[in-house]
């Protein structure tokens, strides 16, 4: 309800990986020189503007998460990427519960580009998680697989410094979250786990009994993928691409069936100019920026639904001709070069102008 939205502003957790910092509270300056990318939820009658750009700090945070993800064990990655049963997770929510969840996610870049249908699915697959005082909701260093909204309760944020030994408390107390239905306060944390398989940067411990809403990473990605459309629609898109115009209709359908669904978070470098590539991509929702440097001068192009990129590596086995960065949550399709060339005749694929 509009009246509720004026009473408080919900946003995601403050960036916790840059050391033991006290989040800034209205009237109390942040003691850190570097402002975090994710703001802490604070009750406030003057609503802050919704973020429209990713900060430099958050971009650096994502790069750190990617590096940590590369260091994770194969078992951890398999556990993170396994699919969950959406039908089993789905539960009807009351209008009040939907309103609280909607307000909690409204300023998060992860949910900025979701459709109304996707939002309804997200409401449905949110898990209600009761917690007791003393429960460790997440532990620093463990693999993150959920995003959380505090519906009710008080929770500590603790960080163990590099080289420090945990004495059982989880490290230094850097912040306390309070969620309250009565006060219209619903902080959230763990946002980046929806897109990146990486160890948690802090521990969250329940100081009181309470309850959370949890969104599993796999459920979130499946919701995004479900709204992309059918393989039939993908086939129509492929048939319009110059590269595939010499293929027969049956070959196009066969090719469409070989693509995998993908989703990227805002600000993610999907491909890098000059790097050897092994896949091409088709966008179905969201937007990306294609940046090609020619003699040191960048040439930018915005890619939207129906556009593709990376096709230059399919026939020529060359490096990517440009860098492509997701401007918002983006979904689409991906196919590896080996799969594509084993699916349709290579000699019927037209060479592209992607390298120009």
């Amino acid at each position: 309800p509009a009246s509720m939205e004026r009473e408080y502003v919900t946003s995601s957790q403050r960036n916790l990986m840059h050391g033991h910092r006290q989040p800034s509270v209205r009237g109390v300056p942040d003691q850190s020189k570097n402002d975090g990318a994710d703001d802490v939820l604070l009750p406030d009658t003057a609503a802050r503007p919704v973020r429209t750009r990713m900060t430099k700090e958050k971009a650096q945070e994502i790069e750190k998460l990617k590096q940590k993800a590369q260091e994770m064990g194969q078992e951890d990655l398999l556990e993170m990427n396994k699919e969950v049963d959406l039908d089993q997770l789905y539960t009807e929510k009351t209008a009040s519960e939907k309103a609280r969840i909607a307000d909690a996610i409204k300023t998060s870049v992860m949910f900025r580009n979701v459709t109304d249908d996707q939002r309804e699915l997200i409401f449905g697959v949110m898990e209600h998680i009761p917690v007791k005082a003393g429960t460790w909701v997440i532990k620093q260093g463990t693999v993150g697989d959920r995003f959380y909204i505090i519906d009710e309760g008080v929770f500590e944020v603790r960080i163990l410094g590099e080289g420090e030994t945990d004495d059982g408390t989880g490290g230094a107390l850097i912040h306390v979250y309070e969620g309250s239905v009565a006060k219209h306060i619903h902080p959230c944390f763990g946002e980046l786990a929806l897109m990146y398989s990486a160890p948690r940067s802090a521990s969250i411990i329940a100081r009181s009994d309470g309850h959370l809403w949890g969104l599993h990473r796999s459920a979130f990605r499946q919701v995004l993928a479900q709204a992309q459309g059918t393989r039939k629609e993908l086939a129509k898109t492929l048939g319009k691409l110059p590269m595939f115009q010499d293929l027969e209709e049956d070959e196009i359908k066969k090719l469409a069936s070989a693509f995998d669904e993908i989703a990227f978070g805002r600000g993610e470098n999907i491909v890098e100019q000059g790097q050897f590539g092994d896949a091409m991509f088709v966008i179905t929702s969201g937007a990306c920026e294609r940046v090609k440097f020619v003699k040191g001068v960048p040439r930018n192009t915005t890619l939207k639904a129906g556009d593709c990129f990376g096709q230059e590596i399919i026939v020529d086995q060359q490096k990517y001709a440009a860098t492509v960065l997701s401007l918002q949550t983006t979904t689409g399709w991906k196919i590896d070069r080996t799969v594509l060339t084993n699916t349709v005749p290579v000699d019927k694929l037209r060479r592209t102008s992607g390298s120009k």
Side-chain angles (χ1 to χ4, degrees):
S3 59
M4 181 182 295
E5 291 179 359
R6 287 194 296 269
E7 291 176 1
Y8 63 96
V9 176
T10 307
S11 64
S12 51
Q13 74 175 113
R14 177 166 295 276
N15 182 334
L16 298 175
M17 194 176 285
H18 296 296
H20 298 178
R21 306 187 309 193
Q22 178 64 37
S24 59
V25 178
R26 186 166 298 278
V28 181
D30 188 351
Q31 300 301 315
S32 169
K33 293 182 179 180
N34 296 322
D35 184 27
D38 292 327
D39 298 324
V40 174
L41 175 148
L42 296 170
D44 195 353
T45 55
R48 288 168 293 182
V50 174
R51 296 191 306 272
T52 57
R53 294 180 179 273
M54 174 171 288
T55 66
K56 178 179 179 182
E57 289 78 11
K58 187 158 190 175
Q60 292 173 342
E61 178 81 359
I62 288 174
E63 287 304 313
K64 288 183 179 181
L65 287 171
K66 290 179 183 177
Q67 292 173 10
K68 288 188 176 183
Q70 293 174 357
E71 298 170 0
M72 291 170 59
Q74 187 65 25
E75 290 185 4
D76 286 335
L77 290 174
L78 289 174
E79 178 67 20
M80 276 293 301
N81 292 318
K82 71 177 182 181
E83 288 197 353
V84 296
D85 188 337
L86 295 187
D87 290 335
Q88 186 175 351
L89 282 180
Y90 193 92
T91 58
E92 289 293 337
K93 306 297 189 299
T94 67
S96 176
E97 290 170 340
K98 288 182 180 181
R100 300 199 297 271
I101 294 171
D103 200 81
I105 66 176
K106 70 182 180 183
T107 59
S108 168
V109 295
M110 293 297 181
F111 302 94
R112 181 75 48 77
N113 207 45
V114 298
T115 65
D116 290 342
D117 288 342
Q118 288 173 322
R119 188 174 289 104
E120 282 298 320
L121 274 175
I122 288 171
F123 291 155
V125 298
M126 282 272 185
E127 302 170 78
H128 184 265
I129 306 172
V131 294
K132 295 292 185 180
T135 300
W136 288 57
V137 180
I138 61 177
K139 186 174 183 179
Q140 183 178 348
T142 59
V143 178
D145 62 1
R146 280 178 175 81
F147 161 76
Y148 295 95
I149 298 169
I150 302 176
D151 202 36
E152 194 78 41
V154 180
F155 296 79
E156 298 179 345
V157 181
R158 291 181 174 271
I159 288 183
L160 194 64
E162 187 174 353
E164 293 181 2
T165 301
D166 190 358
D167 59 2
T169 64
L173 176 65
I174 67 162
H175 188 64
V176 176
Y177 285 128
E178 179 186 6
S180 171
V181 175
K183 296 179 182 178
H184 307 298
I185 301 174
H186 303 288
C188 44
F189 56 89
E191 177 184 56
L192 295 179
L194 292 176
M195 282 296 171
Y196 308 106
S197 305
R200 297 288 196 181
S201 58
S203 295
I204 306 290
I205 306 169
R207 179 181 284 184
S208 70
D209 292 351
H211 45 93
L212 307 165
W213 295 110
L215 178 60
H216 196 283
R217 176 175 180 264
S218 176
F220 178 65
R221 285 181 173 258
Q222 287 182 64
V223 167
L224 294 184
Q226 279 191 6
Q228 290 186 47
T230 65
R231 300 274 175 178
K232 184 177 181 180
E233 292 171 337
L234 173 61
K236 289 181 180 179
T237 300
L238 295 177
K240 296 175 183 178
L241 299 178
M243 181 179 183
F244 303 122
Q245 287 184 354
D246 290 337
L247 296 180
E248 302 293 335
E249 183 177 351
D250 288 346
E251 291 172 327
I252 289 288
K253 291 180 180 178
K254 184 179 179 182
L255 180 61
S257 68
F259 273 75
D260 292 322
E261 296 166 329
I262 50 90
F264 297 101
R266 180 186 176 123
E268 185 166 355
N269 279 353
I270 304 172
V271 302
E272 298 270 358
Q273 181 176 350
Q275 289 189 353
F276 285 102
D278 59 5
M280 68 166 288
F281 304 81
V282 178
I283 300 172
T284 55
S285 73
C288 296
E289 189 79 359
R290 182 182 186 272
V291 183
K292 180 177 176 63
F293 283 87
V294 179
K295 295 182 179 179
V297 179
R299 296 180 180 177
N300 292 30
T301 306
T302 299
L303 304 177
K304 297 182 179 180
D307 291 332
C308 66
F309 58 92
Q311 64 269 33
E312 64 269 16
I313 62 92
I314 297 298
V315 175
D316 301 323
Q317 295 187 349
Q318 62 181 0
K319 300 175 182 179
Y320 285 119
T323 293
V324 176
L325 172 76
S326 54
L327 296 175
Q328 54 195 214
T329 302
T330 300
T331 63
W333 303 92
K334 169 187 175 182
I335 190 168
D336 291 338
R337 180 185 185 280
T338 301
V339 173
L340 191 153
T341 55
N342 286 332
T343 304
V344 296
V346 179
D347 57 1
K348 296 182 72 174
L349 301 179
R350 294 185 182 183
R351 295 183 181 275
T352 68
S353 58
S355 60
K356 294 181 180 180

